[in-house]
Amino acid sequence: VQLQASGGGLVQAGGSLRLSCAASVTIFTSDVLGWYRQAPGKQRELVATSTVSGSINYGDSVKGRFTISSDVPKSTWWLQMNSLKPEDTAVYYCNVNRRSVGPRRDYWGQGTLVTVSS
Protein backbone atom coordinates (compact mmCIF):
# COMPACT_ATOMS: atom_id res chain seq x y z
CA VAL A 1 0.00 0.00 0.00
CA GLN A 2 1.41 3.36 -1.02
CA LEU A 3 -0.11 6.65 0.05
CA GLN A 4 0.65 9.99 -1.59
CA ALA A 5 -0.20 13.09 0.41
CA SER A 6 -0.23 16.54 -1.12
CA GLY A 7 -1.55 20.04 -0.59
CA GLY A 8 0.62 21.37 2.18
CA GLY A 9 2.14 24.81 2.12
CA LEU A 10 2.49 28.15 3.84
CA VAL A 11 -0.65 29.98 4.88
CA GLN A 12 -1.46 32.87 7.17
CA ALA A 13 -3.38 32.36 10.36
CA GLY A 14 -7.09 32.28 9.66
CA GLY A 15 -6.56 30.84 6.21
CA SER A 16 -7.46 27.50 4.70
CA LEU A 17 -5.74 24.56 3.05
CA ARG A 18 -6.97 21.31 1.61
CA LEU A 19 -4.81 18.21 1.86
CA SER A 20 -5.27 15.23 -0.41
CA CYS A 21 -4.25 11.61 -0.06
CA ALA A 22 -4.29 9.08 -2.87
CA ALA A 23 -3.85 5.37 -2.20
CA SER A 24 -2.30 2.96 -4.68
CA VAL A 25 -4.78 0.22 -3.80
CA THR A 26 -8.50 -0.34 -3.48
CA ILE A 27 -10.01 0.89 -0.23
CA PHE A 28 -11.82 -1.91 1.61
CA THR A 29 -15.00 -1.48 3.62
CA SER A 30 -13.12 -2.40 6.80
CA ASP A 31 -10.45 0.27 6.28
CA VAL A 32 -10.16 3.35 8.45
CA LEU A 33 -8.84 6.43 6.63
CA GLY A 34 -7.05 9.06 8.59
CA TRP A 35 -4.91 12.12 8.98
CA TYR A 36 -2.30 12.59 11.69
CA ARG A 37 0.24 15.31 12.31
CA GLN A 38 3.55 15.77 13.99
CA ALA A 39 4.88 19.12 15.08
CA PRO A 40 8.59 19.66 15.79
CA GLY A 41 9.54 18.13 19.11
CA LYS A 42 6.13 16.57 19.63
CA GLN A 43 4.59 13.16 19.18
CA ARG A 44 2.42 12.31 16.24
CA GLU A 45 -1.23 13.03 17.05
CA LEU A 46 -4.61 12.21 15.62
CA VAL A 47 -6.23 14.84 13.44
CA ALA A 48 -9.17 12.94 11.96
CA THR A 49 -10.27 9.45 11.04
CA SER A 50 -13.15 8.16 8.98
CA THR A 51 -14.49 4.69 8.45
CA VAL A 52 -15.72 3.79 4.99
CA SER A 53 -19.24 3.77 6.39
CA GLY A 54 -18.81 7.39 7.47
CA SER A 55 -18.10 7.26 11.18
CA ILE A 56 -15.79 10.22 11.81
CA ASN A 57 -13.58 11.16 14.72
CA TYR A 58 -11.63 14.41 15.20
CA GLY A 59 -8.87 15.41 17.53
CA ASP A 60 -10.06 17.90 20.11
CA SER A 61 -7.83 20.69 18.82
CA VAL A 62 -9.31 20.63 15.31
CA LYS A 63 -13.00 20.02 15.99
CA GLY A 64 -15.16 22.54 14.19
CA ARG A 65 -12.30 23.70 11.96
CA PHE A 66 -11.18 20.64 10.01
CA THR A 67 -13.25 18.26 7.90
CA ILE A 68 -12.27 14.83 6.60
CA SER A 69 -13.96 13.51 3.48
CA SER A 70 -13.35 10.68 1.06
CA ASP A 71 -14.10 9.23 -2.36
CA VAL A 72 -13.71 5.52 -1.70
CA PRO A 73 -14.05 4.34 -5.34
CA LYS A 74 -11.18 6.67 -6.21
CA SER A 75 -9.13 5.63 -3.18
CA THR A 76 -8.76 9.28 -2.25
CA TRP A 77 -9.49 11.29 0.86
CA TRP A 78 -9.07 14.88 1.88
CA LEU A 79 -8.61 17.10 4.90
CA GLN A 80 -10.17 20.54 4.62
CA MET A 81 -8.52 22.83 7.13
CA ASN A 82 -10.16 26.15 7.93
CA SER A 83 -9.40 28.87 10.48
CA LEU A 84 -5.82 27.68 10.65
CA LYS A 85 -3.73 28.64 13.66
CA PRO A 86 0.06 28.78 14.09
CA GLU A 87 -0.22 25.77 16.38
CA ASP A 88 -1.52 23.75 13.42
CA THR A 89 1.97 23.92 11.93
CA ALA A 90 3.16 20.34 11.48
CA VAL A 91 3.90 17.61 9.00
CA TYR A 92 0.59 15.99 8.13
CA TYR A 93 0.48 12.29 7.35
CA CYS A 94 -2.33 10.37 5.73
CA ASN A 95 -3.01 6.89 7.03
CA VAL A 96 -4.90 3.73 6.30
CA ASN A 97 -5.59 1.35 9.15
CA ARG A 98 -6.31 -2.04 7.60
CA ARG A 99 -7.38 -5.44 8.78
CA SER A 100 -4.66 -8.06 8.38
CA VAL A 101 -3.74 -11.51 9.63
CA GLY A 102 -3.16 -10.67 13.26
CA PRO A 103 -3.43 -7.08 14.51
CA ARG A 104 -4.71 -4.34 12.22
CA ARG A 105 -1.90 -2.64 10.33
CA ASP A 106 -1.15 1.02 9.68
CA TYR A 107 0.09 2.36 6.37
CA TRP A 108 1.49 5.90 6.11
CA GLY A 109 2.04 8.48 3.45
CA GLN A 110 5.26 10.47 3.23
CA GLY A 111 3.87 13.57 4.92
CA THR A 112 3.15 17.06 3.70
CA LEU A 113 4.29 20.16 5.58
CA VAL A 114 1.76 22.75 6.68
CA THR A 115 3.14 26.02 8.01
CA VAL A 116 0.79 28.60 9.48
CA SER A 117 2.26 32.04 10.01
CA SER A 118 0.96 34.46 12.62
Side-chain angles (χ1 to χ4, degrees):
V1 177
Q2 293 186 333
L3 307 179
Q4 181 69 44
S6 61
L10 174 64
V11 63
Q12 288 188 331
S16 299
L17 279 175
R18 189 189 197 205
L19 307 183
S20 299
C21 185
S24 62
V25 297
T26 299
I27 299 301
F28 299 145
T29 55
S30 59
D31 287 345
V32 179
L33 312 177
W35 290 96
Y36 292 75
R37 68 186 183 186
Q38 188 166 17
K42 295 187 177 181
Q43 290 187 332
R44 191 171 296 188
E45 65 174 355
L46 166 73
V47 176
T49 59
S50 175
T51 66
V52 171
S53 61
S55 177
I56 292 175
N57 182 45
Y58 291 103
D60 288 341
S61 61
V62 306
K63 286 179 180 177
R65 300 188 297 124
F66 291 10
T67 302
I68 186 171
S69 60
S70 63
D71 185 335
V72 171
K74 294 184 178 180
S75 299
T76 303
W77 57 105
W78 300 273
L79 182 70
Q80 178 66 43
M81 305 185 295
N82 298 329
S83 302
L84 283 161
K85 304 175 181 180
E87 52 263 44
D88 295 317
T89 295
V91 177
Y92 284 70
Y93 297 91
C94 57
N95 165 274
V96 171
N97 180 266
R98 171 163 288 188
R99 181 185 298 167
S100 68
V101 177
R104 292 181 68 96
R105 183 172 176 180
D106 284 304
Y107 297 88
W108 298 95
Q110 84 286 4
T112 185
L113 177 62
V114 172
T115 304
V116 184
S117 63
S118 57

